[in-house]
């Protein structure tokens, strides 16, 4: 098949892990005879340096014309005090492409039990799919930033809530049939709306699914004490951001968590959950597997290439079983070595 993929390498380890994803696309194209037209565009701090904007108009236009977009990571200390932040570019592209559902799978594997700070007996059979709302809530509300006072408004409409609930419910039907909705309904008005909508949507459309409600503080605890009891976890933007970094440590490293950001139409955005990791950038230390697993999500969910995605995932897991991995997982390889180990299993 022919497909246009736009790469947004970004900052810090972003370009390093994007290189790994690109190599995976090239290897899959070669093995299956696909014609991937892969181009690159500026995003984040790199884009601010080159153009003054974190999401230049040319980048957005290229993404809108693509079949799928891959992003490395954005941000870093260099831009922490600048007027425009690299992260604004990421929020802007999510909004502009209508990517309201951010799917973040956290799946443990016996080869990684030692890399997790959680006891191995809790990690068996953990397979969680977080459906994080991505274009609403406190991230996108009005804000005021003063030297003596500041505020961020958190708002949700029923429509914004419903569409991600439907996405989560459809996922649960294709999995183990359970949805956990996480909120702070004992304090927040927005959370109480989330709860009412969840009750209504599930009663009307998904009475066959098991539905659980958790307050976010308790959810953070249950994720560690009984992670295997979760199937699909659906939640608002901010809680989903926080809980998925926590879930990454069940798997063993933030460098293992991929993601897919999807809307109702148009290209999806696929990116590792981790950031630009300034502490290890430019040292060939970054784990490329979250990026390569995000590339697999792009193949499957962005291009409909399920078999190709499975080949890539199998190659990553075979490397983990052979301990061909980076130091965050207790391995001895660098970013490039771990990438090469995956490629060798594809070609
Ligand atoms: P981070 O995710 O960059 O790093 C947190 C810790 O995890 C660091 O110790 C880092 O070395 C480690 N880590 C992250 N990815 C790794 C990988 N692939 N392999 C091995 N170790 C890895 O989070 P942070 O330090 O809080 O943020 C740094 C910058 O990244 C900030 O500017 C932040 O805004 C940005 N950020 C961007 C994204 C994104 O672009 N999607 C996501 C999160 C954070
Ligand atoms: C993520 C990141 C982003 C978020 C930041 C960089 C805006 O932490 O993708 O998890 O909070 O959504
Ligand atoms: Mn995050």
């Amino acid at each position: 098949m022919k497909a246009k993929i736009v790469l947004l390498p970004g900052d810090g380890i972003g370009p390093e892990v994007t290189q790994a994803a690109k190599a995976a696309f090239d290897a899959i194209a070669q093995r299956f005879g696909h014609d991937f037209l892969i181009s690159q565009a500026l995003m984040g701090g790199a884009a601010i340096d080159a153009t003054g904007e974190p999401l230049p108009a040319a980048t957005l236009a290229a993404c809108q014309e693509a079949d799928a977009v891959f992003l490395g990571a954005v941000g870093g200390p260099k831009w922490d005090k600048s007027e425009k932040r690299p992260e604004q570019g990421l929020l802007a592209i999510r909004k502009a492409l209508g990517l309201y559902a951010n799917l973040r799978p956290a799946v443990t594997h016996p080869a990684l039990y030692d890399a997790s700070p959680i006891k191995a007996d809790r990690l068996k059979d953990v397979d969680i799919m977080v459906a994080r709302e991505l274009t609403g809530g406190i991230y996108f509300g009005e804000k005021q930033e003063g030297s003596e006072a500041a505020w961020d408004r958190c708002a949700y409409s029923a429509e914004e809530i419903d569409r991600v609930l439907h996405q989560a419910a459809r996922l649960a039907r294709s999995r183990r049939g359970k949805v956990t909705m996480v909120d702070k309904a004992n304090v927040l008005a927005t959370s109480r709306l989330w709860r009412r909508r969840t009750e209504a949507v599930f009663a009307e459309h998904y009475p066959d699914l098991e539905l659980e409600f958790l307050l976010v503080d308790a959810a953070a605890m249950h994720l560690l004490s009984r992670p295997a009891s979760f199937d699909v976890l659906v939640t608002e933007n901010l809680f989903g951001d926080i809980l998925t970094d926590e879930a990454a440590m069940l798997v063993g490293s933030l460098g293992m968590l991929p993601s897919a950001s999807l809307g109702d139409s148009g290209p999806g955005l696929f990116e590792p959950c981790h950031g630009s990791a300034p502490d290890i950038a430019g040292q060939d230390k970054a784990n490329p597997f979250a990026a390569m697993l995000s590339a697999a999500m792009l193949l499957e969910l962005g291009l409909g290439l399920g078999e190709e995605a499975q080949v890539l995932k199998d190659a990553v897991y075979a490397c983990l079983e052979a301990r061909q991995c980076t130091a965050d997982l207790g391995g001895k390889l660098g970013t490039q070595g771990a990438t090469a180990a995956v490629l060798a299993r594809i070609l």
Side-chain angles (χ1 to χ4, degrees):
M1 86 176 294
K2 275 191 168 89
K4 272 195 250 176
I5 302 173
V6 172
L7 306 176
L8 307 174
D11 312 312
I13 63 168
E16 297 170 62
V17 302
T18 301
Q19 195 50 43
K22 179 179 186 302
F25 293 134
D26 288 341
I28 290 288
Q30 192 177 327
R31 170 151 165 189
F32 288 88
H34 294 310
D35 188 3
F36 294 154
L37 185 61
I38 301 178
S39 62
Q40 203 166 296
L42 286 167
M43 170 71 153
I48 294 176
D49 288 351
T51 71
E53 292 296 330
L55 174 61
T59 295
L60 179 57
C63 294
Q64 280 163 332
E65 279 171 22
D67 295 301
V69 183
F70 180 93
L71 180 129
V74 296
K78 180 176 177 191
W79 305 279
D80 274 349
K81 299 230 157 50
S82 68
E83 189 206 335
K84 289 186 178 152
R85 294 191 57 110
E87 293 84 353
Q88 288 169 339
L90 181 53
L91 299 185
I93 194 171
R94 288 171 177 169
K95 193 76 166 180
L97 297 179
L99 309 173
Y100 62 82
N102 181 216
L103 310 183
R104 299 185 158 191
V107 186
T108 57
H109 189 286
L112 297 181
Y113 287 175
D114 283 349
S116 172
I118 305 301
K119 291 191 180 77
D121 62 320
R122 307 276 166 101
L123 300 175
K124 196 170 167 297
D125 299 327
V126 171
D127 180 352
I128 306 170
M129 179 64 86
V130 176
R132 168 192 177 196
E133 199 292 324
L134 199 63
T135 52
I138 200 161
Y139 276 60
F140 291 92
E142 284 170 59
K143 53 178 90 243
Q144 181 84 38
E145 207 159 340
S147 54
E148 298 301 318
W151 47 262
D152 299 272
R153 180 166 176 265
C154 181
Y156 268 111
S157 69
E159 188 192 352
E160 286 174 315
I161 296 168
D162 287 8
R163 60 190 183 178
V164 72
L165 290 177
H166 284 292
Q167 176 75 260
R170 283 193 297 268
L171 279 166
R173 272 194 180 151
S174 70
R175 293 167 50 96
R176 301 192 304 284
K178 179 178 175 188
V179 173
T180 302
M181 205 285 280
V182 174
D183 63 28
K184 188 73 186 172
N186 52 346
V187 176
L188 302 177
T190 39
S191 282
R192 287 192 281 274
L193 180 62
W194 269 85
R195 226 172 243 229
R196 287 196 299 278
R197 291 313 309 160
T198 306
E199 279 162 356
V201 166
F202 279 73
E204 185 180 348
H205 299 283
Y206 310 101
D208 52 306
L209 296 178
E210 184 188 343
L211 180 61
E212 172 185 46
F213 292 98
L214 288 180
L215 297 171
V216 63
D217 45 357
M221 184 271 293
H222 288 301
L223 266 178
L224 304 186
S225 61
R226 55 170 177 90
S229 73
F230 290 86
D231 179 11
V232 175
L233 188 162
V234 63
T235 190
E236 63 157 271
N237 204 341
L238 180 63
F239 299 157
D241 178 46
I242 297 167
L243 293 177
T244 45
D245 272 27
E246 183 187 1
M249 293 317 295
L250 298 167
V251 185
S253 167
L254 199 43
M256 283 305 299
L257 224 64
S259 89
S261 304
L262 306 172
D264 288 326
S265 60
L269 175 72
F270 300 84
E271 52 167 319
C273 292
H274 63 71
S276 59
D279 52 336
I280 57 166
Q283 300 169 45
D284 194 41
K285 285 183 180 167
N287 182 346
F289 291 170
M292 295 180 106
L293 293 171
S294 301
M297 292 186 90
L298 183 153
L299 293 171
E300 183 182 356
L301 303 172
L303 303 180
L305 299 174
E307 187 190 343
E308 289 81 343
Q310 196 58 50
V311 165
L312 176 50
K313 276 193 279 188
D314 287 348
V316 170
Y317 282 106
C319 289
L320 292 171
E321 279 158 21
R323 304 211 67 76
Q324 292 175 302
C325 54
T326 44
D328 54 314
L329 300 176
K332 291 190 169 58
L333 298 180
T335 309
Q336 292 179 31
T339 303
V342 175
L343 300 181
R345 291 172 192 276
I346 296 175
L347 292 168

